[in-house]
């Protein structure tokens, strides 16, 4: 699954650790999501979308 988490995070000037704190996950989890090594659970995806005030579909897109 592709996502725009890194672009959204850097646009706000947040580090991976900053985003992890806001989501209550580790920096390593943020890194794994950003690099596509880990797809977040649905509750975490909702948390990410709410934090950036965007829809889940605008952040996460299936790879064709």
């Amino acid at each position: 699954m592709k996502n725009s988490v890194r672009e959204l995070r850097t646009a706000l000037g947040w580090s991976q650790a900053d985003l992890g704190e806001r989501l209550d996950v580790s920096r390593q989890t943020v890194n794994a999501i950003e690099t596509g090594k880990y797809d977040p659970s649905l509750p975490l995806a909702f948390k990410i979308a709410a934090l950036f005030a965007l829809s889940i579909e605008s952040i996460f897109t299936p790879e064709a």
Side-chain angles (χ1 to χ4, degrees):
M1 183 170 299
K2 290 184 187 178
N3 69 73
S4 57
V5 173
R6 179 174 307 212
E7 292 81 4
L8 293 167
R9 174 182 61 76
T10 56
L12 292 172
W14 295 345
S15 68
Q16 288 180 339
D18 292 334
L19 181 56
E21 275 185 36
R22 287 172 167 84
L23 296 172
D24 200 27
V25 299
S26 69
R27 181 202 60 78
Q28 291 86 349
T29 298
V30 172
N31 180 268
I33 292 169
E34 288 183 353
T35 58
K37 293 182 175 129
Y38 172 74
D39 291 332
S41 65
L42 194 53
L44 181 53
F46 272 106
K47 232 174 162 177
I48 292 167
L51 183 64
F52 291 117
L54 295 168
S55 68
I56 289 175
E57 296 86 357
S58 67
I59 299 173
F60 298 95
T61 54
E63 292 191 70

